[in-house]
């Protein structure tokens, strides 16, 4: 295969703030794999919480460039297994390669990726749109600027109940809230009780990822479902979350791509847990890959391209929460010619 790496730094529409940080740009890395006249694209993102930077990602992948370019792709799953021992300490880098391999493989089959898996997309869930932490006035403005059927509201302030109470006055949309580890046990239970009557569907990662004792109490007493994010990173975490969360949010970048994500989905479903995939603010490249998992999912947060002021690719389109696949095979993502 031929490997090409494209680093990008894309601006957000608005400063993007969660409980632990704010940012105005999103550094991203797109990997392209070519073989037999076909090209596959994959993407990954930097993330300060996990100490991941794009230069580090480029270095990690380039360290194994000779192996990758000598490899003959038969299936993306076999490629992932071959690459895992080399990148076991960098799932973000492995994700970009795995997505590119899936895109390439499906194109060689002359099919869309979900068709390779024999899935029916007719009942796909809709994506939410994220409202980052801001003044309540600005959060209201963001709602009004972007009317949407489902919102994910980032929380983790001393005024969280007041924020949701005020936002509810301006829309009848479904709310999902994400505290990004910011709350404690009593705060989570208090907020859940208040949010239940305010049209909140579930709470994502209310408490620190390592607080399993606290999560057990919250799981037993919360009046709203709880979805793991920072507590569920890789495959081994799914079983850990069983009995502590009602569902999991799988991030392709964190778990190492589509190959392990599909196994995580099946494992979570076997435990009777809800399954969601999330966004790391990827461009349309990574988002187009996530879209092909939709038939498996209960919820999805794939609003990355909507939050960005600029994009580097065409592919999946999102209109009023509904996801529309691109016409092309594979994931459907195609880099803009300028890149």
């Amino acid at each position: 295969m031929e490997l090409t790496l494209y680093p990008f730094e894309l601006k957000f529409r608005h400063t993007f703030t969660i409980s632990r940080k704010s940012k105005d740009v999103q550094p991203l890395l797109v990997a392209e794999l070519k073989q037999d006249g076909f090209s596959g694209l994959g993407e990954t993102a930097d993330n300060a919480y996990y100490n991941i930077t794009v230069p580090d990602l480029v270095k990690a992948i380039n360290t194994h460039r000779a192996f990758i370019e000598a490899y003959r792709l038969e299936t993306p799953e076999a490629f992932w297994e071959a690459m895992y021992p080399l990148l076991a300490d960098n799932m973000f880098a492995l994700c970009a390669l795995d997505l590119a391999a899936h895109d390439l493989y499906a194109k060689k089959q002359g099919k869309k990726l979900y068709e390779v898996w024999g899935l029916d997309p007719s009942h796909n869930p809709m994506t939410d749109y994220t409202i980052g932490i801001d003044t309540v006035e600005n959060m209201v403005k963001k709602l009004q600027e972007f009317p949407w059927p489902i919102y994910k509201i980032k929380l983790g302030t001393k005024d969280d109940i007041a924020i949701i109470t005020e936002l509810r006055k301006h829309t009848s949309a479904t709310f999902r809230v994400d505290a990004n580890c910011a709350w404690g046990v009593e705060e989570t239970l208090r907020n859940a009780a208040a949010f239940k009557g305010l049209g909140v569907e579930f709470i994502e990662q209310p408490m620190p990822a390592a607080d399993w004792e606290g999560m057990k109490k919250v799981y037993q007493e919360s009046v709203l479902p709880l979805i793991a994010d920072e507590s569920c990173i890789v495959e081994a975490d799914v079983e850990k979350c069983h009995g502590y969360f009602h569902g999991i949010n799988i991030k392709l970048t964190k778990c190492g791509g589509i190959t392990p994500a599909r196994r995580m989905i099946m494992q979570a479903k076997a435990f009777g847990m809800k399954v969601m995939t999330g966004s790391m603010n990827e461009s349309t490249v990574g988002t187009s890959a996530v879209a092909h998992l939709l038939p498996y999912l209960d919820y999805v947060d794939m609003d990355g391209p909507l939050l960005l002021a600029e994009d580097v690719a065409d592919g999946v389109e999102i209109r009023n929460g509904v996801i529309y696949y691109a016409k092309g095979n594979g994931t459907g993502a195609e880099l803009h010619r300028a890149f």
Side-chain angles (χ1 to χ4, degrees):
M1 294 186 291
E2 178 185 340
L3 168 67
T4 306
L5 299 177
Y6 304 90
F8 298 108
E9 194 169 85
L10 302 183
K11 295 178 181 178
F12 281 102
R13 243 179 236 278
H14 300 286
T15 298
F16 187 76
T17 301
I18 63 174
S19 61
R20 53 180 176 258
K21 69 170 294 185
S22 297
K23 53 185 178 179
D24 293 303
V25 297
Q26 177 61 61
L28 298 163
L29 179 67
V30 171
E32 181 180 28
L33 294 174
K34 293 181 179 179
Q35 183 179 289
D36 298 337
F38 294 93
S39 169
L41 297 177
E43 186 176 23
T44 191
D46 91 329
N47 191 279
Y49 183 76
Y50 297 102
N51 297 314
I52 298 291
T53 69
V54 166
D56 288 342
L57 291 165
V58 171
K59 181 179 179 181
I61 294 173
N62 277 335
T63 298
H64 306 293
R65 176 177 287 274
F67 179 88
I68 295 165
E69 295 198 323
Y71 190 90
R72 177 72 188 176
L73 182 71
E74 298 297 335
T75 69
E77 293 81 10
F79 179 59
W80 191 92
E81 294 297 339
M83 292 302 305
Y84 177 74
L86 306 178
L87 290 170
D89 61 346
N90 197 326
M91 293 292 98
F92 283 63
L94 185 52
C95 171
L97 297 172
D98 182 71
L99 268 57
H102 273 87
D103 187 25
L104 175 60
Y105 178 78
K107 285 176 178 172
K108 291 180 69 174
Q109 302 301 307
K111 296 179 179 180
K112 298 181 187 299
L113 186 53
Y114 72 78
E115 293 174 335
V116 171
W117 300 327
L119 300 180
D120 176 6
S122 60
H123 299 290
N124 285 352
M126 293 193 297
T127 183
D128 55 37
Y129 177 78
T130 303
I131 304 295
I133 294 173
D134 207 327
T135 65
V136 69
E137 293 81 9
N138 284 340
M139 293 175 81
V140 168
K141 288 179 182 177
K142 291 174 185 177
L143 286 182
Q144 295 170 336
E145 173 188 290
F146 219 97
W148 211 251
I150 309 169
Y151 292 104
K152 176 191 275 196
I153 313 297
K154 294 287 188 177
L155 297 177
T157 78
K158 60 182 177 62
D159 299 315
D160 287 341
I161 293 175
I163 287 171
I164 296 299
T165 300
E166 181 61 27
L167 294 183
R168 176 49 69 210
K169 297 175 183 177
H170 300 273
T171 178
S172 60
T174 298
F175 286 166
R176 299 164 178 171
V177 302
D178 184 1
N180 287 111
C181 309
W183 300 337
V185 171
E186 297 309 318
E187 189 175 10
T188 300
L189 294 175
R190 182 172 64 252
N191 288 347
F195 294 160
K196 185 173 176 62
L198 290 169
V200 172
E201 188 175 22
F202 60 72
I203 297 172
E204 187 177 338
Q205 196 66 43
M207 295 167 43
D211 189 0
W212 293 101
E213 181 179 351
M215 274 309 309
K216 189 67 174 180
K217 178 178 175 61
V218 170
Y219 175 79
Q220 293 169 341
E221 299 183 21
S222 175
V223 297
L224 286 177
L226 307 166
I227 306 296
D229 183 358
E230 285 87 345
S231 293
C232 190
I233 300 171
V234 294
E235 291 179 68
D237 295 329
V238 179
E239 186 172 3
K240 292 179 185 177
C241 289
H242 179 50
Y244 293 84
F245 293 89
H246 300 90
I248 60 170
N249 182 1
I250 300 169
K251 302 283 183 66
L252 301 187
T253 49
K254 295 194 298 186
C255 73
I258 288 171
T259 297
R262 290 179 71 211
R263 295 194 291 255
M264 293 171 74
I265 289 168
M266 300 311 170
Q267 188 178 6
K269 286 182 176 293
F271 285 131
M273 301 172 75
K274 296 291 187 180
V275 182
M276 175 181 182
T277 59
S279 169
M280 298 289 271
N281 303 314
E282 296 94 338
S283 76
T284 292
V285 174
T287 304
S288 293
V290 171
H292 290 264
L293 294 170
L294 289 174
Y296 290 125
L297 305 178
D298 299 292
Y299 317 115
V300 67
D301 170 35
M302 48 179 288
D303 60 351
L306 305 177
L307 298 172
L308 296 169
E310 49 192 351
D311 205 342
V312 297
D314 296 315
V316 66
E317 294 186 9
I318 306 170
R319 299 192 292 273
N320 198 35
V322 179
I323 295 92
Y324 299 88
Y325 293 102
K327 293 180 180 179
N329 291 326
T331 67
E334 298 289 343
L335 280 177
H336 293 158
R337 289 189 178 185
F339 303 108

